[in-house]
Amino acid sequence: MEQVFSYIISLGASVMMPILFTVIGLAIGLKFGKSLKSGLYVGVGFVGLGIITALLTTNFNEPLKAIAELYHLQLNVFDMGWPAAAAVAYNTAVGALIIPVCLGINVLMLLTKTTRTVNIDLWNYWHFAFIGAVAYFVMGESLAWGYFAAIVCYIITMVMADLTADRFQKYYKDLDGISVPQPFCQSFVPFAVVINKALDLIPGFSKLDIDAEGLKKKFGVLGEPLVLGVIVGCLIGFLAQSNIKGILFLGVTMGAVMELIPRITRLFIEGLMPISEKTKGIVEKKFHGKRVFIGMSPALVIGHPTTLVVSLLLIPTVLFLAVVLPGNQFLPLASLAGMFYLFPMVLPITNGNVVKTFIIGLIALIFGLYFVTDMAPDFTLAANDVYAITKDAAAKIPEGFAGGALDFAASLFGWIIYKLTCHAQYIGPAVLIIITICMMLVNRRQIIKSEREAAKASTTENNE
């Protein structure tokens, strides 16, 4: 079983998505051609997104490292990026069977009406495996504690996917029936809810209600993500003391990333539309108002203009903060490509307000830097053990450094589960169990309530 699921993961989303979507499409009654085309669009979307991410990391890694050296920004925690976190996650006993274990939990939650989401975002299961792998090593290679942390994270994420689904679907058009069961994105929802309400209490703040379109009107061409990308890229080149050719190249490259991401993410929408519409029709017809969500990657919506603009503004800001914040030891470089994934669940709460989204992202990242710094010793322990066994280069930490990654290690959910599982003896796990059960019961109550209301409305309509 371990070999089977390791092989599935190794195929990647771009290969498996056409297969998965073809099977799902046929199962719900779509024609073979339409099902295959849907899957291929999503698969091609993942290929395109991988190319764009590689374009960003390949061209900006060296200039960012040059900036760190020129301005003596070396901190003790080396940014390993998400490949290292994924390598740690999957190259352990926890990661080996994380897919069948979590799919089993998903089925149980569907049967007990504690979730509506069918999570097919298999490639982001590494987030659950990661927190489980860290707990596994910290707790003396205890498989029980490793799976405990992973399963708690999975259940909390599934409930959050349900609770945020309506708002997500309302804000992002053409995504009916889709939810986002990815813990990194969902962990920023508490920040967004609290800070958004706090900002609404500030007199006159409502006048700063500027979305990406409003930014274009206010600043003209300078408000375009494309142009902002060129400016930020050139600024990074200038700070890295590149020559004119290098500065201009980085500017155009960053601009290309900002322009191409939205175009590529449209492929995801085109691929999802036939599946989403067919699923919605079947559910309404056969299940009398009972709703089922398809859990998908947040990559679907990272091309939103507000996400692009705020991510661009935060890249130089977070580099500056990493240096000046007292106690922080983490300088994000390789992880900056993951900045776009902070905002998919934040935008529905701020309604795309650039100022609010920037403030929420800024505060969340400040906490995130400290989370990574705090987790770094145990991340390093896990990475070193994985490297010693597998010799996987992604898990090798440079000599003299601890290891860390912004991706998931900077998330509220990940850090809380890590602290309560690994550093609070039995009280922490007990608290996690209580929180998890309470969230499941709250979600179950909402699901049952909405099903009763839907059934009542259906009966009334039939009587009429």
Side-chain angles (χ1 to χ4, degrees), residues 166-181:
D166 285 339
R167 214 163 186 172
F168 175 84
Q169 294 167 23
K170 185 179 179 181
Y171 183 74
Y172 297 105
K173 309 301 182 186
D174 301 324
L175 286 176
D176 284 347
I178 304 298
S179 66
V180 178

PDB file of all heavy atoms in Angstrom, residues 166-181:
ATOM      1  N   ASP A 166     -19.518  28.490   1.709  1.00  0.00           N
ATOM      2  CA  ASP A 166     -20.531  29.401   1.153  1.00  0.00           C
ATOM      3  C   ASP A 166     -19.925  30.752   0.803  1.00  0.00           C
ATOM      4  O   ASP A 166     -20.184  31.311  -0.277  1.00  0.00           O
ATOM      5  CB  ASP A 166     -21.680  29.595   2.151  1.00  0.00           C
ATOM      6  CG  ASP A 166     -22.598  28.374   2.206  1.00  0.00           C
ATOM      7  OD1 ASP A 166     -22.595  27.599   1.240  1.00  0.00           O
ATOM      8  OD2 ASP A 166     -23.295  28.205   3.213  1.00  0.00           O
ATOM      9  N   ARG A 167     -19.119  31.270   1.712  1.00  0.00           N
ATOM     10  CA  ARG A 167     -18.490  32.570   1.472  1.00  0.00           C
ATOM     11  C   ARG A 167     -17.509  32.490   0.306  1.00  0.00           C
ATOM     12  O   ARG A 167     -17.409  33.413  -0.512  1.00  0.00           O
ATOM     13  CB  ARG A 167     -17.767  33.018   2.748  1.00  0.00           C
ATOM     14  CG  ARG A 167     -17.794  34.511   2.976  1.00  0.00           C
ATOM     15  CD  ARG A 167     -17.440  34.841   4.404  1.00  0.00           C
ATOM     16  NE  ARG A 167     -17.605  36.257   4.670  1.00  0.00           N
ATOM     17  CZ  ARG A 167     -17.512  36.805   5.864  1.00  0.00           C
ATOM     18  NH1 ARG A 167     -17.289  36.044   6.914  1.00  0.00           N
ATOM     19  NH2 ARG A 167     -17.662  38.098   6.027  1.00  0.00           N
ATOM     20  N   PHE A 168     -16.775  31.391   0.256  1.00  0.00           N
ATOM     21  CA  PHE A 168     -15.809  31.175  -0.826  1.00  0.00           C
ATOM     22  C   PHE A 168     -16.512  31.150  -2.174  1.00  0.00           C
ATOM     23  O   PHE A 168     -16.098  31.820  -3.128  1.00  0.00           O
ATOM     24  CB  PHE A 168     -15.072  29.858  -0.577  1.00  0.00           C
ATOM     25  CG  PHE A 168     -14.133  29.450  -1.677  1.00  0.00           C
ATOM     26  CD1 PHE A 168     -12.845  29.957  -1.736  1.00  0.00           C
ATOM     27  CD2 PHE A 168     -14.534  28.549  -2.656  1.00  0.00           C
ATOM     28  CE1 PHE A 168     -11.977  29.581  -2.748  1.00  0.00           C
ATOM     29  CE2 PHE A 168     -13.671  28.165  -3.673  1.00  0.00           C
ATOM     30  CZ  PHE A 168     -12.389  28.686  -3.712  1.00  0.00           C
ATOM     31  N   GLN A 169     -17.598  30.392  -2.272  1.00  0.00           N
ATOM     32  CA  GLN A 169     -18.323  30.242  -3.534  1.00  0.00           C
ATOM     33  C   GLN A 169     -19.021  31.538  -3.946  1.00  0.00           C
ATOM     34  O   GLN A 169     -19.156  31.827  -5.134  1.00  0.00           O
ATOM     35  CB  GLN A 169     -19.337  29.100  -3.410  1.00  0.00           C
ATOM     36  CG  GLN A 169     -18.701  27.744  -3.246  1.00  0.00           C
ATOM     37  CD  GLN A 169     -19.672  26.669  -2.811  1.00  0.00           C
ATOM     38  OE1 GLN A 169     -20.879  26.793  -3.019  1.00  0.00           O
ATOM     39  NE2 GLN A 169     -19.171  25.614  -2.185  1.00  0.00           N
ATOM     40  N   LYS A 170     -19.462  32.299  -2.962  1.00  0.00           N
ATOM     41  CA  LYS A 170     -20.131  33.568  -3.258  1.00  0.00           C
ATOM     42  C   LYS A 170     -19.151  34.597  -3.804  1.00  0.00           C
ATOM     43  O   LYS A 170     -19.469  35.355  -4.729  1.00  0.00           O
ATOM     44  CB  LYS A 170     -20.804  34.108  -1.991  1.00  0.00           C
ATOM     45  CG  LYS A 170     -21.629  35.370  -2.219  1.00  0.00           C
ATOM     46  CD  LYS A 170     -22.292  35.824  -0.930  1.00  0.00           C
ATOM     47  CE  LYS A 170     -23.097  37.112  -1.139  1.00  0.00           C
ATOM     48  NZ  LYS A 170     -23.725  37.582   0.126  1.00  0.00           N
ATOM     49  N   TYR A 171     -17.946  34.604  -3.243  1.00  0.00           N
ATOM     50  CA  TYR A 171     -16.961  35.611  -3.667  1.00  0.00           C
ATOM     51  C   TYR A 171     -16.316  35.241  -5.001  1.00  0.00           C
ATOM     52  O   TYR A 171     -16.190  36.072  -5.891  1.00  0.00           O
ATOM     53  CB  TYR A 171     -15.878  35.775  -2.600  1.00  0.00           C
ATOM     54  CG  TYR A 171     -14.875  36.841  -2.953  1.00  0.00           C
ATOM     55  CD1 TYR A 171     -15.196  38.197  -2.862  1.00  0.00           C
ATOM     56  CD2 TYR A 171     -13.609  36.507  -3.425  1.00  0.00           C
ATOM     57  CE1 TYR A 171     -14.289  39.183  -3.215  1.00  0.00           C
ATOM     58  CE2 TYR A 171     -12.695  37.482  -3.782  1.00  0.00           C
ATOM     59  CZ  TYR A 171     -13.038  38.822  -3.675  1.00  0.00           C
ATOM     60  OH  TYR A 171     -12.132  39.787  -4.028  1.00  0.00           O
ATOM     61  N   TYR A 172     -15.874  33.981  -5.126  1.00  0.00           N
ATOM     62  CA  TYR A 172     -15.256  33.531  -6.375  1.00  0.00           C
ATOM     63  C   TYR A 172     -16.347  32.945  -7.268  1.00  0.00           C
ATOM     64  O   TYR A 172     -16.850  31.848  -7.009  1.00  0.00           O
ATOM     65  CB  TYR A 172     -14.186  32.477  -6.102  1.00  0.00           C
ATOM     66  CG  TYR A 172     -13.029  32.976  -5.280  1.00  0.00           C
ATOM     67  CD1 TYR A 172     -12.903  32.635  -3.941  1.00  0.00           C
ATOM     68  CD2 TYR A 172     -12.044  33.799  -5.827  1.00  0.00           C
ATOM     69  CE1 TYR A 172     -11.830  33.079  -3.171  1.00  0.00           C
ATOM     70  CE2 TYR A 172     -10.979  34.257  -5.073  1.00  0.00           C
ATOM     71  CZ  TYR A 172     -10.874  33.889  -3.752  1.00  0.00           C
ATOM     72  OH  TYR A 172      -9.814  34.330  -2.994  1.00  0.00           O
ATOM     73  N   LYS A 173     -16.717  33.661  -8.270  1.00  0.00           N
ATOM     74  CA  LYS A 173     -17.807  33.241  -9.152  1.00  0.00           C
ATOM     75  C   LYS A 173     -17.435  31.959  -9.904  1.00  0.00           C
ATOM     76  O   LYS A 173     -16.267  31.648 -10.102  1.00  0.00           O
ATOM     77  CB  LYS A 173     -18.137  34.352 -10.165  1.00  0.00           C
ATOM     78  CG  LYS A 173     -18.355  35.722  -9.538  1.00  0.00           C
ATOM     79  CD  LYS A 173     -19.478  35.737  -8.523  1.00  0.00           C
ATOM     80  CE  LYS A 173     -19.708  37.124  -7.950  1.00  0.00           C
ATOM     81  NZ  LYS A 173     -20.697  37.120  -6.856  1.00  0.00           N
ATOM     82  N   ASP A 174     -18.444  31.231 -10.321  1.00  0.00           N
ATOM     83  CA  ASP A 174     -18.291  30.018 -11.128  1.00  0.00           C
ATOM     84  C   ASP A 174     -17.619  28.867 -10.373  1.00  0.00           C
ATOM     85  O   ASP A 174     -17.042  27.966 -10.999  1.00  0.00           O
ATOM     86  CB  ASP A 174     -17.477  30.303 -12.414  1.00  0.00           C
ATOM     87  CG  ASP A 174     -18.125  31.370 -13.271  1.00  0.00           C
ATOM     88  OD1 ASP A 174     -19.367  31.403 -13.311  1.00  0.00           O
ATOM     89  OD2 ASP A 174     -17.388  32.158 -13.888  1.00  0.00           O
ATOM     90  N   LEU A 175     -17.658  28.895  -9.039  1.00  0.00           N
ATOM     91  CA  LEU A 175     -17.049  27.809  -8.271  1.00  0.00           C
ATOM     92  C   LEU A 175     -18.066  27.175  -7.322  1.00  0.00           C
ATOM     93  O   LEU A 175     -17.741  26.797  -6.196  1.00  0.00           O
ATOM     94  CB  LEU A 175     -15.829  28.309  -7.485  1.00  0.00           C
ATOM     95  CG  LEU A 175     -14.568  28.583  -8.309  1.00  0.00           C
ATOM     96  CD1 LEU A 175     -13.466  29.160  -7.438  1.00  0.00           C
ATOM     97  CD2 LEU A 175     -14.083  27.322  -9.008  1.00  0.00           C
ATOM     98  N   ASP A 176     -19.303  27.046  -7.777  1.00  0.00           N
ATOM     99  CA  ASP A 176     -20.329  26.389  -6.973  1.00  0.00           C
ATOM    100  C   ASP A 176     -19.915  24.950  -6.673  1.00  0.00           C
ATOM    101  O   ASP A 176     -19.447  24.230  -7.557  1.00  0.00           O
ATOM    102  CB  ASP A 176     -21.671  26.364  -7.722  1.00  0.00           C
ATOM    103  CG  ASP A 176     -22.355  27.726  -7.693  1.00  0.00           C
ATOM    104  OD1 ASP A 176     -21.919  28.575  -6.905  1.00  0.00           O
ATOM    105  OD2 ASP A 176     -23.315  27.923  -8.466  1.00  0.00           O
ATOM    106  N   GLY A 177     -20.119  24.544  -5.417  1.00  0.00           N
ATOM    107  CA  GLY A 177     -19.823  23.163  -5.035  1.00  0.00           C
ATOM    108  C   GLY A 177     -18.375  22.888  -4.723  1.00  0.00           C
ATOM    109  O   GLY A 177     -17.989  21.745  -4.502  1.00  0.00           O
ATOM    110  N   ILE A 178     -17.534  23.949  -4.678  1.00  0.00           N
ATOM    111  CA  ILE A 178     -16.103  23.779  -4.399  1.00  0.00           C
ATOM    112  C   ILE A 178     -15.783  24.305  -3.010  1.00  0.00           C
ATOM    113  O   ILE A 178     -16.266  25.359  -2.600  1.00  0.00           O
ATOM    114  CB  ILE A 178     -15.235  24.520  -5.448  1.00  0.00           C
ATOM    115  CG1 ILE A 178     -15.571  24.050  -6.862  1.00  0.00           C
ATOM    116  CG2 ILE A 178     -13.756  24.330  -5.144  1.00  0.00           C
ATOM    117  CD1 ILE A 178     -15.303  22.591  -7.118  1.00  0.00           C
ATOM    118  N   SER A 179     -14.943  23.574  -2.269  1.00  0.00           N
ATOM    119  CA  SER A 179     -14.402  24.067  -0.999  1.00  0.00           C
ATOM    120  C   SER A 179     -12.888  23.884  -1.019  1.00  0.00           C
ATOM    121  O   SER A 179     -12.355  23.198  -1.902  1.00  0.00           O
ATOM    122  CB  SER A 179     -15.021  23.322   0.187  1.00  0.00           C
ATOM    123  OG  SER A 179     -14.645  21.961   0.188  1.00  0.00           O
ATOM    124  N   VAL A 180     -12.205  24.478  -0.045  1.00  0.00           N
ATOM    125  CA  VAL A 180     -10.738  24.427  -0.015  1.00  0.00           C
ATOM    126  C   VAL A 180     -10.265  23.786   1.295  1.00  0.00           C
ATOM    127  O   VAL A 180     -10.129  24.461   2.308  1.00  0.00           O
ATOM    128  CB  VAL A 180     -10.125  25.839  -0.164  1.00  0.00           C
ATOM    129  CG1 VAL A 180      -8.610  25.773  -0.078  1.00  0.00           C
ATOM    130  CG2 VAL A 180     -10.547  26.463  -1.482  1.00  0.00           C
ATOM    131  N   PRO A 181     -10.024  22.472   1.290  1.00  0.00           N
ATOM    132  CA  PRO A 181      -9.572  21.781   2.501  1.00  0.00           C
ATOM    133  C   PRO A 181      -8.048  21.758   2.622  1.00  0.00           C
ATOM    134  O   PRO A 181      -7.420  20.702   2.738  1.00  0.00           O
ATOM    135  CB  PRO A 181     -10.135  20.368   2.309  1.00  0.00           C
ATOM    136  CG  PRO A 181     -10.108  20.178   0.825  1.00  0.00           C
ATOM    137  CD  PRO A 181     -10.305  21.530   0.193  1.00  0.00           C
TER     138      PRO A 181
END
